[in-house]
Amino acid sequence: MPVTPALQLRDLGKSFGGFWALRNVTIDFQPGEVHAIVGENGAGKSTLIKLVAGVHHPSEGAMTGPLGTELRLKTPRDALKSGIGVVHQELDLFDNLTVAENIALGIDDAGLRKPSAATMAARARKALRDIGEERIAPGLTVGDISTSDKQLVAIAKVLTWEARVIILDEPTSALNAIEAARLLDRIRHLRSAGVAVIYVSHKLGEIFSIADRISVIRDGTLVTTGPIDAFDHDKVVHAMLGRQPAELFPAQVKLRSAGDVLLRIDNMAGRHLDGVSFDAKAGEIVALAGLPDAGPSSLLRHIFGLDRATGGTVTVAGRPMSRPTPREAIGHGIAYLPADRLREGILPLMDVVRNTEATDEAMHATAAALRRRKALQSIRRLSVRTASLFNRITSLSGGNQQKTLLARWLVMGPKVLMLDDPTRGVDVGAKSEIYQILRGIADAGAAVIFTSSDSLELARLSDRILLFRQGRVVSEIRQQVTHAELDRAIAAA
C-alpha cells in the first residue's frame, strides 16, 4: 500500500505585491524520511519554510496533512497543532530558563497554573528520549549547555507537540564536526521513529550523508526533486546555480610563484598546539586541515592574540611580535575572520558602513572622512548587496555579511589575512564570490591562510595544504588532490 505523505504541497506560491518569491511548488514529504531542501540565498527556501510554518499565507496552491485534509494555517501555533514544528537557525530558547522550562513553554495545559517542576521534568525527559538523547538533564540552565545540546532541546520542544513533520533550518551552522555528527545521529533516530524531517542546509556533504531525497529551488521555482542516489555534488550545484561547479573556484595553479615570507611561525605552543612552525608567503593561499581540535583553528586564534600562547614566536614581514594581542596583530598587518560570524564578527546593532569602518576606527588609523570613503570603496569592490548601506548588517544574507567583514579588513590593507572556516553558513553562489575575492587578495600580494570544514574548498582553493594532527603539522601537500583523497588523509592523520 502506498504511504500517505506527512505533508503535501500542491502548486504552492507566495507573492509580495507583484513579486513572486515562490511559485508552483509541488512536493510530497514522506513519513520516516529526511528530505533536503537546497538553493542559494534568495532562491525561495525561507519563503517555503514560512508557508509551511504558518508565518506566511499562500497566494496560490494548497497544503494537505497526513489525513488528506487541507491545512489552513493562520499562525505558527496552527502549524504546531497540525503536527508541524520548525527549529530555526536562531534558536527560540531562553538562556536563563532550564531545559524543562524551555520545553514546557507555550504548551496548552489545563487552567492558567504553571505545571509543577516534576511534570515539566518528566515531559522534558520523554521528549529527549524520543530523539535518543539521555545525557541532557532537565534541570540544567540552557545558558550553561553547548550549542549542539541547545539544538537537541529545540527539537525536543517541538516533539512535545507530537510533531510528525520537523523542519530544521541550517541546524549545524554553528556546530563543529563532532557536534554536527552527533546531531545527525539524532536526526536518524527521528527518521526511524517515522517523523518526516525537512532538512535545509548549505552543507552538501552533510546532505549526502543524511538525506533520502533532495529538492532544489532556484529563483522561486522547484528545479528538480528526487532520491539522493540520483544526484552527486556537481549535479546539485548545477541545479542550484544553472552553471557548472568548476566555475565556482578560481583557476587552480599549484606551485604558483610566491613572493617573500610575510608570516613566520616558530614553535607555537598553547591550547591544542604543540610546537607549530610554518611560513606563509606573499601571493599564496595556505590551507590548514585536520580533525576538530587538531590545531588549525586554535593556531589562528593564537597568532591573532585571542588565545595566549605558552611558547613560540610570530614574525610578520621580518618584524617580530613581542606578545601577540589583537591590537598588536592588526598593527603588524594581520587580519582575522573568526568562524563564528554572529558572535565574534559582525556588530549586529550597526549598519553595513559602520561595520566596515569598525577596525579602522578602533585603531584610529585614518580621519573620519577618509575612513568613510575607504569603507565605501571596499564595499563596492566586494559587491556587498544590500537595499541600503545604512541598514543593519543583520538584514544581509550570510554571504553578504561575510563579504562586509572582508571589506572591513580590506580598508586596513592587511599583509596577512587569516580566515577560520570563511564560508560556514554561506550558500554556494556566495561561496564562489568569496573564493574569487580571496584569490584576488592573494594575487595583490597578501598571504591568505584559512581553515575549512569543507574538504573540497581546502583542496581546490589552496596553493598548498598543511595537515595537522594533535597540535602539530605532520605533512604538507603541494600536489593537486581531490577532496576525497584529502578526506582520507585527514582521517588518517
Side-chain angles (χ1 to χ4, degrees):
M1 290 179 60
V3 178
T4 302
L7 177 68
Q8 294 177 293
L9 312 183
R10 289 287 176 266
D11 299 319
L12 200 67
K14 178 64 180 177
S15 67
F16 298 93
F19 170 71
W20 284 90
L22 199 73
R23 189 144 212 200
N24 298 327
V25 172
T26 296
I27 312 176
D28 293 344
F29 298 102
Q30 300 294 335
E33 75 163 2
V34 177
H35 194 129
I37 304 290
V38 299
E40 291 190 273
N41 284 335
K45 303 189 305 296
S46 295
T47 303
L48 178 64
I49 291 171
K50 289 175 180 177
L51 287 169
V52 174
V55 176
H56 290 332
H57 306 145
S59 302
E60 65 178 11
M63 297 185 289
T64 56
L67 300 178
T69 56
E70 185 174 346
L71 299 175
R72 298 185 182 276
L73 308 177
K74 296 180 179 179
T75 66
R77 196 175 186 84
D78 289 343
L80 278 170
K81 289 180 177 178
S82 299
I84 300 170
V86 183
V87 179
H88 296 282
Q89 187 173 358
E90 300 299 323
L91 302 175
D92 55 347
L93 300 176
F94 294 89
D95 282 351
N96 61 319
L97 300 181
T98 67
V99 168
E101 288 168 335
N102 269 281
I103 288 174
L105 279 176
I107 297 175
D108 286 327
D109 287 288
L112 299 176
R113 287 184 298 176
K114 177 182 176 181
S116 69
T119 298
M120 289 190 291
R123 179 183 288 150
R125 277 192 292 270
K126 179 183 183 304
L128 289 165
R129 278 198 304 270
D130 286 345
I131 57 173
E133 179 54 61
E134 299 190 6
R135 298 175 309 100
I136 304 172
L140 289 174
T141 301
V142 163
D144 294 334
I145 65 178
S146 68
T147 303
S148 57
D149 283 349
K150 289 178 182 179
Q151 286 279 3
L152 296 175
V153 171
I155 294 171
K157 181 177 178 178
V158 300
L159 284 179
T160 60
W161 289 82
E162 300 183 353
R164 303 311 297 164
V165 178
I166 293 182
I167 304 169
L168 301 175
D169 185 11
E170 298 288 349
T172 65
S173 62
L175 307 184
N176 65 33
I178 293 173
E179 292 171 327
R182 198 165 119 251
L183 179 61
L184 294 182
D185 281 341
R186 298 297 180 267
I187 293 170
R188 293 184 183 98
H189 187 92
L190 282 175
R191 174 173 58 192
S192 67
V195 176
V197 179
I198 303 175
Y199 195 90
V200 182
S201 177
H202 295 309
K203 297 184 177 181
L204 295 186
E206 219 169 69
I207 283 170
F208 279 102
S209 75
I210 191 71
D212 301 295
R213 286 196 295 155
I214 187 170
S215 293
V216 182
I217 295 176
R218 186 173 76 229
D219 298 331
T221 61
L222 180 65
V223 176
T224 184
T225 190
I228 195 70
D229 293 345
F231 295 86
D232 58 23
H233 183 280
D234 288 359
K235 286 181 180 178
V236 173
V237 172
H238 184 258
M240 288 170 62
L241 302 182
R243 53 195 163 116
Q244 294 299 328
E247 301 174 42
L248 294 180
F249 292 91
Q252 187 184 29
V253 183
K254 291 289 182 183
L255 299 175
R256 66 170 56 237
S257 177
D260 297 333
V261 172
L262 289 182
L263 179 69
R264 173 160 286 151
I265 307 299
D266 288 310
N267 205 32
M268 177 73 76
R271 186 170 182 265
H272 300 311
L273 299 178
D274 185 18
V276 175
S277 299
F278 80 100
D279 293 342
K281 298 178 180 178
E284 71 171 347
I285 299 180
V286 181
L288 311 181
L291 294 171
D293 296 336
S297 295
S298 183
L299 176 62
L300 299 187
R301 294 182 65 86
H302 281 76
I303 294 171
F304 198 66
L306 292 172
D307 293 337
R308 181 63 59 85
T310 58
T313 59
V314 179
T315 305
V316 184
R319 295 174 57 210
M321 291 171 59
S322 56
R323 177 174 287 183
T325 64
R327 180 169 289 275
E328 187 184 7
I330 293 168
H332 277 70
I334 298 178
Y336 169 69
L337 259 72
D340 193 335
R341 177 176 63 247
L342 297 179
R343 292 180 184 271
E344 296 185 314
I346 66 171
L347 302 172
L349 299 180
M350 292 186 179
D351 61 38
V352 176
V353 175
R354 294 283 287 122
N355 265 272
T356 308
E357 295 176 322
T359 301
D360 198 356
E361 181 178 12
M363 296 295 290
H364 307 291
T366 52
L370 178 57
R371 182 167 63 241
R372 176 59 54 91
R373 187 160 62 250
K374 288 165 65 179
L376 293 173
Q377 289 172 348
S378 189
I379 289 168
R380 284 194 293 269
R381 176 181 169 188
L382 269 59
S383 302
V384 176
R385 287 188 285 277
T386 174
S388 169
L389 295 176
F390 302 101
N391 284 348
R392 282 189 181 180
I393 191 171
T394 49
S395 68
L396 273 60
S397 68
N400 281 295
Q401 288 180 14
Q402 197 75 324
K403 287 196 290 181
T404 300
L405 296 182
L406 282 168
R408 177 191 294 173
W409 289 116
L410 289 189
V411 168
M412 301 293 296
K415 297 182 179 71
V416 179
L417 175 60
M418 307 189 305
L419 310 100
D420 192 358
D421 215 352
T423 63
R424 174 190 287 188
V426 171
D427 71 51
V428 175
K431 282 184 179 184
S432 180
E433 293 182 272
I434 291 172
Y435 300 152
Q436 300 292 339
I437 290 166
L438 297 184
R439 184 74 269 169
I441 291 171
D443 288 344
V448 176
I449 304 161
F450 79 103
T451 76
S452 179
S453 54
D454 185 341
S455 58
L456 179 66
E457 194 167 278
L458 292 167
R460 295 289 295 274
L461 183 60
S462 65
D463 297 312
R464 58 190 174 100
I465 304 168
L466 302 180
L467 191 61
F468 281 67
R469 180 179 66 217
Q470 296 181 346
R472 288 180 173 272
V473 177
V474 294
S475 64
E476 179 177 301
I477 301 171
R478 288 182 174 269
Q479 74 276 15
Q480 290 189 349
V481 292
T482 66
H483 67 283
E485 291 168 337
L486 183 55
D487 278 337
R488 288 193 291 272
I490 291 172

